[in-house]
Amino acid sequence: KQEVTQIPAALSVPEGENLVLNCSFTDSAIYNLQWFRQDPGKGLTSLLLIQSSQREQTSGRLNASLDKSSGRSTLYIAASQPGDSATYLCAVGSKAAGNKLTFGGGTRVLVKP
Amino acid sequence: DVKVTQSSRYLVKRTGEKVFLECVQDMDHENMFWYRQDPGLGLRLIYFSYDVKMKEKGDIPEGYSVSREKKERFSLILESASTNQTSMYLCASSLRQGPLLYGYTFGSGTRLTVV
């Protein structure tokens, strides 16, 4: 059974600092890993999708890495801004989960001005 | 801009009512999913569908049913709403091609309160 963990559950940083968000998963036989952002009371917005054959994906200030062998992904957000305050969730697609996504519990981020 | 649309952002229903939550996607996706999200419990899969007329139970299907009469529409039905079904409900869709090659797209969510 695939399990996805995100630690810490909450994080507070001053504006301008780089953010590092962690995601770990138990079954390394994954198809892909997807990072989402969720604002309070809203749906999930896809940020980055990494296929199992890739090591990283980049979009603007966001960079996500994937290390399947160690069961880890890291989302880097450079030069954080107050508008980056949100909950970030990672989700893993794997055969162990019947080809569906397994979600982590999320990391709630607060960027202080 | 492709999207998944959930018909209501907020709903308030009474205990015992039959409740319909609607989800429509315009991306010609085969797969559609219904989740609920609760503090401390994360996202839990209620039902999913890989094609028209098809449905599969997720992790917490009790008290719910679904309908998929057309490819673009996936409805979640609360047969007799109860207060423990107060939650945020999220719909998602994905392509079937290959195992999850393109990830999921989510709707904006429906906050349901049962009183």
Side-chain angles (χ1 to χ4, degrees):
Chain A
K1 179 185 175 185
Q2 180 71 269
E3 294 181 357
V4 180
T5 304
Q6 293 182 251
I7 296 173
L11 184 60
S12 180
V13 298
E15 182 177 3
E17 192 167 297
N18 295 333
L19 278 165
V20 180
L21 306 179
N22 298 305
C23 173
S24 61
F25 46 93
T26 54
D27 188 334
S28 62
I30 67 169
Y31 297 124
N32 62 19
L33 186 144
Q34 196 167 1
W35 281 95
F36 295 91
R37 169 186 172 137
Q38 186 177 32
D39 294 295
K42 303 287 182 62
L44 276 64
T45 300
S46 181
L47 297 174
L48 291 168
L49 172 69
I50 310 175
Q51 300 295 345
S52 62
S53 59
Q54 299 174 316
R55 297 281 293 179
E56 66 176 356
Q57 277 286 342
T58 298
S59 176
R61 293 185 294 114
L62 277 60
N63 175 276
S65 65
L66 174 64
D67 184 344
K68 280 198 309 178
S69 61
S70 65
R72 293 181 182 178
S73 176
T74 303
L75 177 66
Y76 299 90
I77 303 177
S80 62
Q81 304 167 359
D84 295 327
S85 299
T87 296
Y88 294 82
L89 295 101
C90 74
V92 171
S94 64
K95 188 174 181 180
N99 295 345
K100 299 187 295 295
L101 287 185
T102 303
F103 286 85
T107 296
R108 189 171 68 253
V109 171
L110 174 64
V111 180
K112 297 177 289 187
Chain B
D1 191 20
V2 294
K3 61 175 63 174
V4 176
T5 302
Q6 295 184 231
S7 55
S8 303
R9 288 295 311 278
Y10 301 95
L11 275 179
V12 180
K13 297 293 182 180
R14 295 193 179 277
T15 301
E17 273 192 78
K18 190 169 186 177
V19 180
F20 294 84
L21 302 184
E22 305 290 343
C23 176
V24 177
Q25 50 92 6
D26 63 1
M27 298 168 283
D28 202 32
H29 283 177
E30 293 86 2
N31 306 333
M32 297 189 75
F33 307 84
W34 274 107
Y35 291 85
R36 65 177 283 177
Q37 186 180 31
D38 301 286
L41 297 176
L43 275 85
R44 292 181 290 169
L45 182 63
I46 305 171
Y47 267 97
F48 59 100
S49 168
Y50 287 151
D51 204 345
V52 177
K53 305 284 188 181
M54 290 183 62
K55 59 184 178 182
E56 298 283 345
K57 292 180 180 180
D59 301 319
I60 52 164
E62 296 78 19
Y64 303 93
S65 63
V66 290
S67 172
R68 193 163 182 203
E69 297 296 319
K70 294 184 178 181
K71 188 176 185 180
E72 67 271 18
R73 184 181 298 270
F74 192 36
S75 302
L76 180 70
I77 304 159
L78 285 66
E79 298 291 343
S80 177
S82 64
T83 55
N84 63 13
Q85 293 178 309
T86 292
S87 185
M88 168 70 93
Y89 290 87
L90 294 164
C91 176
S93 71
S94 73
L95 282 167
R96 187 195 300 149
Q97 294 173 0
L100 306 175
L101 284 178
Y102 301 103
Y104 284 22
T105 301
F106 276 83
S108 56
T110 296
R111 169 70 68 181
L112 173 67
T113 301
V114 182
V115 298

